[in-house]
Amino acid sequence: MIWFKNGLVPIKDAKVLALSPTAQFGLNVFEGIPCYWSSKDHSMYAFRLNEHYERLQRSAKLLQISHSYTKEQMRKALEDVVCINEFDENISVRQTLFVDEFGSWGSDGPAEMFVVATPRSFNSSEYNQTGLKMCFSSWRRISDNTLSPRIKCGANYINSRVGQREAIRNGYDTCLFLNEFGKIAEGPGSCFFMIKKDTLITPNLTDSVLESITRDSVITIARDKGIRVVERMIDRSEVYTADEAFMCGSAMGITPVASIDGYEISFSEKSITNTIRDIYLKAAKNEEIQYSHWVTAVNRS
C-alpha cells in the first residue's frame, strides 16, 4: 500500500499523468527516510524525521514547487504507510512532492505527494556492501551555479546516475565525484569521510555536496566521542593514502571504502569507522539515550 495524493491506495493504483512535469522533467523533490526496526521493543523508529521534513521544505522552496502539505500531514502519511504494511524489518521511506497534471518544466504546481516504504534490502547493491570498491568518476559533480546539490530533487540524480553507471561498467561498486575545482565532492547519493592520523576529515558543505543529515549525525557522534573533526577541501591524491574511509547516507548507512582506483584502504573491527557506525545504528534503533531525540516511534495502532 502507498500513500498517494489524498490517502492510502494499492500501489498499482498510484498513477501520474504521462505528460506531467514530474514524468517529463523530473520536477519533484523528495526525502529518503531511514526507519529501523528494534527487535528489543518491537518498534519502528524513523531517524531524524523533523530534519528530513525541514530539508524537504527547503528543496521545494529552492525549486519553487508550491504545495500546502504541513509537517504534521507528512508525518501522518508516513505513519499510515508504515503501519498498514506491518513492517518488522529495516525500511526506507520515499516521501516525494511532485508536480502533476498538464504543465511544463516551468510549472510550480499542482503539487501532490506520495509516500512509499520498501525493505532496505531492496536498495541498490552498493547500499548493501560490507566494503566498497570505488573509483573516481570522469564526470564532475553538479555545483551551486549549475543545479544546486542542496536541492534533493529527482532531476539532480541524473548526475549521480552517469557516475554510477560508469563505475559499474568498469567493474566498481560505485564512484566518487570531484567538484568543478577538482576537489572531492561526494558519491552518488552518499557523503565521503576519511580518517588520517585519528582525525575525521570531510569536504565542506560548499564543496558541491548535499546538506546530508547522515553526515551531520556522523560529525555529531564523532565529536561526542572526542574524535577530532575537520571540514575542508580534499585533494584526490589524499584519498589514496587515507588510513580509513567510508561513505554515508540515508540509504547507504555507513559503509567502509575498501579501495579506490585500486588503492586499498584498511578497515578493522577496532577502526574509527566501525566505532561511529555502531553508535549510529544503535542511535537509529533508540538504543543510545544520548540520541533519543533523533528518533520518532512509528507504532501500529
Side-chain angles (χ1 to χ4, degrees):
M1 298 290 286
I2 181 175
W3 197 98
F4 186 74
K5 294 188 177 182
N6 294 309
L8 293 164
V9 299
I11 195 165
K12 64 180 179 62
D13 295 331
K15 299 176 181 179
V16 299
L17 186 69
L19 292 178
S20 66
T22 193
Q24 291 195 84
F25 309 109
L27 188 49
N28 58 66
V29 293
F30 71 94
E31 286 295 317
I33 303 169
C35 296
Y36 287 84
W37 174 256
S38 172
S39 56
K40 288 186 177 181
D41 55 16
H42 297 280
S43 292
M44 184 73 76
Y45 293 102
F47 188 68
R48 301 194 68 173
L49 194 57
N50 187 61
E51 288 87 346
H52 278 284
Y53 290 150
E54 287 179 349
R55 187 171 65 182
L56 184 61
Q57 300 278 21
R58 290 197 303 272
S59 291
K61 180 178 181 179
L62 285 169
L63 205 55
Q64 298 183 31
I65 293 177
S66 300
H67 71 95
S68 59
Y69 291 103
T70 65
K71 288 183 184 178
E72 290 70 27
Q73 290 171 320
M74 293 176 181
R75 184 177 293 109
K76 180 63 166 57
L78 179 143
E79 290 172 348
D80 288 348
V81 165
V82 173
C83 292
I84 198 168
N85 286 290
E86 299 185 343
F87 290 106
D88 57 0
E89 60 184 306
N90 299 339
I91 60 174
S92 294
V93 177
R94 175 62 59 89
Q95 195 142 6
T96 301
L97 297 171
F98 64 96
V99 180
D100 201 8
E101 304 304 330
F102 289 101
S104 72
W105 50 265
S107 301
D108 65 352
E112 301 288 357
M113 182 172 71
F114 75 77
V115 188
V116 63
T118 55
R120 288 179 67 85
S121 58
F122 286 16
N123 287 338
S124 300
S125 61
E126 70 271 17
Y127 297 146
N128 293 294
Q129 301 282 355
T130 56
L132 295 167
K133 181 183 177 184
M134 300 185 68
C135 64
F136 278 101
S137 177
S138 65
W139 298 91
R140 293 296 173 101
R141 182 67 174 140
I142 53 176
S143 75
D144 203 58
N145 292 317
T146 53
L147 186 56
S148 176
R150 285 189 175 87
I151 306 173
K152 195 171 176 68
C153 65
N156 272 1
Y157 277 72
I158 297 302
N159 180 228
S160 292
R161 173 181 170 79
V162 294
Q164 181 65 17
R165 294 304 304 174
E166 178 185 43
I168 292 171
R169 284 197 310 273
N170 292 321
Y172 297 93
D173 297 318
T174 189
C175 69
L176 195 57
F177 289 103
L178 301 176
N179 62 25
E180 61 184 324
F181 303 108
K183 304 298 183 180
I184 304 299
E186 61 181 14
S190 54
C191 290
F192 174 78
F193 283 86
M194 69 177 182
I195 293 96
K196 284 199 169 188
K197 296 181 179 179
D198 296 326
T199 297
L200 186 65
I201 306 168
T202 193
N204 296 304
L205 285 176
T206 51
D207 288 337
S208 297
V209 304
L210 177 71
E211 293 179 332
S212 165
I213 293 165
T214 313
R215 174 187 181 277
D216 179 74
S217 302
V218 166
I219 290 172
T220 299
I221 290 169
R223 286 176 173 159
D224 288 345
K225 290 293 292 182
I227 299 168
R228 182 170 180 258
V229 179
V230 174
E231 299 174 71
R232 65 167 174 82
M233 290 188 290
I234 301 173
D235 288 328
R236 174 176 182 161
S237 59
E238 289 185 86
V239 179
Y240 295 147
T241 58
D243 297 327
E244 303 173 38
F246 63 87
M247 307 301 293
C248 74
S250 294
M252 178 73 74
I254 296 174
T255 305
V257 175
S259 66
I260 186 158
D261 284 350
Y263 290 88
E264 293 186 0
I265 299 175
S266 63
F267 172 75
S268 70
E269 289 303 311
K270 295 182 179 179
S271 64
I272 291 175
T273 299
N274 204 49
T275 296
I276 294 172
R277 183 174 62 177
D278 286 349
I279 295 172
Y280 170 81
L281 289 173
K282 288 179 181 178
K285 295 181 180 181
N286 200 30
E287 295 173 5
E288 286 282 346
I289 296 175
Q290 183 177 2
Y291 305 111
S292 60
H293 61 287
W294 279 355
V295 297
T296 301
V298 185
N299 293 316
R300 302 168 192 167
S301 57

